[in-house]
Amino acid sequence: MIRPLLFGLLASVAHTQYVVQSASFGYGSSLSPNNKGIPEWHISGEGHTPQLLSDKVILTPPSPGNRRGALWTENRLSKAEWIADFEFRATGPERGGGNLQLWYTKEGQVDIGTSSLYTVGKFDGMVLVVDTFGGRGGSIRGFLNDGSTDFKSHHNVDSLSFGHCDYAYRNLGRPSHIQIKQESNSFQVFVDQRLCFKSEQIKLPMDYYFGVSAASAETPDTFEVFKFIVTTSSAVTREEPLKDRVAPPAAQKEQQASMQQMPDAPGSSPPQISDAKLADLQDRLQLMSHSVDNLFREFSKFAAKADERHSEMLQKTFSSDQLGALDRRLQAMENKVDGIKQDVGSKDYQPHFDALHNTLKSSHKNLLEGLPQSVGHIVSTRSPRMGTFIFIIVAVQFLIAGSYVVYKRRKANGPKKYL
C-alpha cells in the first residue's frame, strides 16, 4: 500500500517545474540569508558596488552616471532544456540612458564581467540586450557568438541581432518580466507573457554560466533586478539535492521506521525504498512548496491590484445621493411630458384651427383686392404733370438762346486788335 502511494506522488511531481537553485534567486522571502551576498552568485561593480536589499539588487545607482554592475552564477547549468524567468525595473529622468544584458556564456564572469554589448570582446554564448536602440522607446534584442567575433571592435554590432521586439521598459512603475525558454526544438523569448521572438534553429549548449550586467549613461537609468529563476521540467536531469537540505521531519522518520518494521505480506517481496529516493522525493516536494508559495504571492498581488482598481471605479462613479437626485429629476421631466401629452389628447383644437384659417383667407382676399387699387391711386396722384414738364423745357431753351445773344453782342462791341 505504501509503494503505490509513493509511485503516485512521484508521478504527480514528474510534470512540475523544478527550480535550479544554484542558478536562481528571488524565489524565497529574501534574496540573501545574511544580507551580504546571494548564495552561489557573484556580485561585482565598476565605479561602485551594487546595493543588495532584501527583495532586489540595484545594479546601477540613480547617480552618478557611467556606472556598471553585474551578477554571475558560480556554477554551470547542466540542463539541456530550461526556462529562465527574469524580473527587472528601469527608472530614470526623461533623457536618461543605459542598457541591461542577460548572458548565457561558456566562460561567464571571466570573459565578460561587467561589460555590455558594446564593450565586450569575444565570447561564446548568447546575450539578450534591453536598451533604447532605434529611438522607439525601448527594444529587446538577441545576439549569438561562437567566440570568433569581437563585438567591441565590430563596425556595426547592432546588425548581428538574430531577433528583436519593441518594448517600452522605462518608468513603468512595476517590474518587467522576461522569460527565456529553451526547448528541444525551439528557443523563445517572452516579455510580460507576450511572445517577443522565437527561433527553431537555435539550440544553446549545456554547462554554460548565466549572468546579468547593466551599464548607465552620463544621465543614468537605475536598473533593479528582483529575481532570476531557472527551472526545468526534466526529472532525470534535475538538480542534485542541496548540501544543506533540511532533515526529514520526525513524522517522516517514524513512517520510514514503520515501513522497515512492517511484516511482509504473503507472496510479496518487501518494499525496497532507499534513503536516497526518500530524500529525492522530499526535495521535490519542497520545490513544489516553493512554487505554491510563489503562486500564492502572485495571486495576492493580483487581488490587491483588483481591489485597487475596484476602489478607483467606485470613486469615479456617482454616489447614492447623486443617483437619487438624478432619478428625481428624470421622474419630474417624465411627469411633465405625460401632462403635456394628456392636455394635447384631451382638448379639441379644431375650432381654433378653423378660425385661424378664416383669418388667413380674409387677409389674403383683402390683399388681392385692395393692392391693385392702392398702387393705381399712388401712381395717378404722385406722378408729375406734363404741362409743368413742357414749360420747364421751353424755359430752358429761351434761357440758352438769350445767353447766346448776349454773348454775341458783347463780342461785337469789344475792342479789336490789328497786327
Side-chain angles (χ1 to χ4, degrees):
M1 181 176 181
I2 300 298
R3 180 178 293 179
L5 177 60
L6 292 177
F7 287 158
L9 290 175
L10 290 174
S12 64
V13 301
H15 300 285
T16 59
Q17 292 291 330
Y18 303 97
V19 178
V20 184
Q21 298 187 16
S22 62
S24 305
F25 64 86
Y27 56 86
S29 58
S30 178
L31 298 184
S32 174
N34 53 12
N35 294 328
K36 294 182 179 180
I38 302 176
E40 301 184 85
W41 284 76
H42 180 76
I43 304 176
S44 61
E46 183 177 321
H48 82 117
T49 300
Q51 186 176 3
L52 175 62
L53 302 179
S54 61
D55 61 340
K56 63 183 177 181
V57 180
I58 303 177
L59 293 179
T60 56
S63 63
N66 298 321
R67 295 295 183 267
R68 298 176 180 271
L71 296 168
W72 284 97
T73 58
E74 297 177 352
N75 301 303
R76 299 178 184 269
L77 180 67
S78 58
K79 308 291 185 282
E81 299 179 14
W82 44 266
I83 299 175
D85 291 284
F86 176 60
E87 285 190 1
F88 73 97
R89 181 171 62 189
T91 56
E94 182 179 357
R95 298 186 179 276
N99 51 44
L100 181 72
Q101 285 76 211
L102 198 157
W103 305 88
Y104 182 73
T105 63
K106 184 176 182 180
E107 299 300 332
Q109 182 185 1
V110 177
D111 288 345
I112 299 171
T114 60
S115 299
S116 65
L117 174 70
Y118 302 102
T119 60
V120 69
K122 297 180 179 180
F123 69 95
D124 185 356
M126 182 274 302
V127 58
L128 205 65
V129 182
V130 182
D131 60 4
T132 56
F133 170 76
R136 295 184 294 271
S139 66
I140 299 177
R141 299 174 292 160
F143 297 83
L144 292 174
N145 193 358
D146 58 358
S148 60
T149 303
D150 190 341
F151 276 28
K152 184 177 182 180
S153 60
H154 196 274
H155 66 282
N156 187 11
V157 68
D158 295 316
S159 63
L160 303 179
S161 171
F162 69 87
H164 76 280
C165 68
D166 295 336
Y167 179 63
Y169 63 92
R170 300 183 68 249
N171 298 324
L172 296 180
R174 59 166 177 83
S176 299
H177 179 252
I178 295 179
Q179 184 182 78
I180 305 175
K181 184 180 293 186
Q182 176 65 75
E183 298 178 338
S184 59
N185 56 355
S186 67
F187 176 84
Q188 304 177 61
V189 176
F190 296 86
V191 181
D192 289 342
Q193 286 75 48
R194 296 182 180 179
L195 180 63
C196 179
F197 59 87
K198 67 176 182 179
S199 175
E200 297 178 354
Q201 308 298 325
I202 297 176
K203 178 66 175 179
L204 298 178
M206 299 168 53
D207 296 325
Y208 277 30
Y209 292 95
F210 276 112
V212 180
S213 68
S216 62
E218 184 175 356
T219 303
D221 274 347
T222 300
F223 288 99
E224 304 167 304
V225 177
F226 293 87
K227 70 177 183 180
F228 187 91
I229 300 177
V230 180
T231 58
T232 177
S233 59
S234 175
V236 177
T237 61
R238 191 178 63 85
E239 183 185 32
E240 293 297 325
L242 296 176
K243 297 179 181 179
D244 56 348
R245 183 189 296 110
V246 179
Q252 186 173 356
K253 291 183 178 179
E254 294 178 359
Q255 184 178 4
Q256 296 176 11
S258 62
M259 290 170 55
Q260 294 175 359
Q261 297 175 3
M262 183 183 300
D264 298 340
S268 62
S269 60
Q272 301 293 330
I273 302 177
S274 62
D275 293 338
K277 290 184 178 180
L278 289 174
D280 183 72
L281 176 61
Q282 183 197 355
D283 190 48
R284 296 184 184 184
L285 292 175
Q286 185 180 1
L287 294 176
M288 286 182 62
S289 176
H290 285 305
S291 300
V292 172
D293 292 338
N294 291 334
L295 287 175
F296 180 76
R297 283 194 295 270
E298 293 295 333
F299 280 120
S300 299
K301 293 179 181 178
F302 178 78
K305 291 182 179 179
D307 293 338
E308 184 179 355
R309 292 179 181 177
H310 181 67
S311 300
E312 292 178 356
M313 291 180 63
L314 290 178
Q315 293 177 359
K316 293 180 180 179
T317 56
F318 293 102
S319 63
S320 58
D321 296 337
Q322 292 175 338
L323 291 175
L326 182 61
D327 182 68
R328 288 191 295 271
R329 291 182 182 179
L330 292 176
Q331 188 67 30
M333 292 177 63
E334 186 177 356
N335 294 334
K336 290 181 180 179
V337 172
D338 291 338
I340 295 173
K341 183 177 180 181
Q342 291 177 0
D343 292 339
V344 173
S346 60
K347 294 183 180 180
D348 186 9
Y349 292 94
Q350 188 62 36
H352 299 281
F353 290 135
D354 293 339
L356 180 62
H357 178 70
N358 293 331
T359 302
L360 292 175
K361 185 176 181 181
S362 176
S363 300
H364 184 261
K365 182 178 179 181
N366 294 332
L367 184 63
L368 292 178
E369 292 178 354
L371 184 61
Q373 297 178 359
S374 300
V375 172
H377 177 71
I378 293 173
V379 171
S380 62
T381 57
R382 301 298 179 183
S383 60
R385 297 177 181 178
M386 291 301 296
T388 304
F389 181 70
I390 294 173
F391 174 76
I392 292 173
I393 293 176
V394 172
V396 171
Q397 294 293 332
F398 276 109
L399 181 61
I400 294 173
S403 299
Y404 180 73
V405 170
V406 172
Y407 169 73
K408 294 296 289 181
R409 286 180 179 180
R410 292 183 64 181
K411 186 177 182 180
N413 296 328
K416 295 180 174 60
K417 295 181 178 181
Y418 297 97
L419 295 176

